[in-house]
Amino acid sequence: MSDKGILIVLSGPSGVGKGTVRKAVFSRPDAKFEYSISMTTRKPREGEVDGVDYFFKSKEEFEKLIEEGKLLEYAQYVGNYYGTPVDYVKETLEAGKDVFLEIEVQGAKQVRDKFPDGLFIFLMPPSLDELRNRIVGRGTESVDLIHNRMEAARKEIELTSMYDYIVVNDDVERAVDKINAIVQAEHCRSERVIDKYIEMLEVK
Ligand code: 5GP
């Protein structure tokens, strides 16, 4: 029996540092995950590269992808579409590799319905004040957008009960250690591996 990978979903409010934590996860030499690059209609921020940070799409292109069923999930977030390409995720999991998604809560809910055995981790800010400081400090958003992102953050934090784990991002390296420990433990969870050992007993 070939082992399938685990679908790991990391969510958390905008500004909590998901991108930083995700990059730190992938910069560890022993990182074994594959990152699924999302599609978005948001304009690239300075320094962002098409095909690395996101696949940047027009609204028309994105709506065509929805129609063609090419997205595992999608959501509108602060006026833009964001979505996960379904083929990449399925093929990578089938190949036995863990796939890492960094998505917001509405999308995570859709993934939960389609992949109930996914691993759902919520990255929590130490406090809402700290979250606002981080969004303001990033300097990429207008005052209105900061307000909208704080409102979205409050709604996201209210929905954390659907997640399996909550990791506070008080320190990036500590958060990465916790995420790695969670994934390692999930690979040993009996319901994920029991079939393999039952098969082992059946082989004479
Ligand atoms: P940002 O504009 O700051 O890059 O992302 C805004 C929000 O969209 C973040 O919470 C980010 O995690 C989320 N996001 C990024 N890619 C996807 C995706 O493919 N699907 C969904 N549902 N959310 C995404």
Side-chain angles (χ1 to χ4, degrees), residues 6 88 97:
I6 298 180
Y88 175 80
K97 294 178 190 154

Side-chain angles (χ1 to χ4, degrees), residues 67-80:
E67 260 169 46
E68 290 171 346
K70 299 267 196 232
L71 300 176
L72 170 63
E73 60 74 34
Y74 70 93
Q76 279 196 334
Y77 185 88
V78 195
N80 285 300

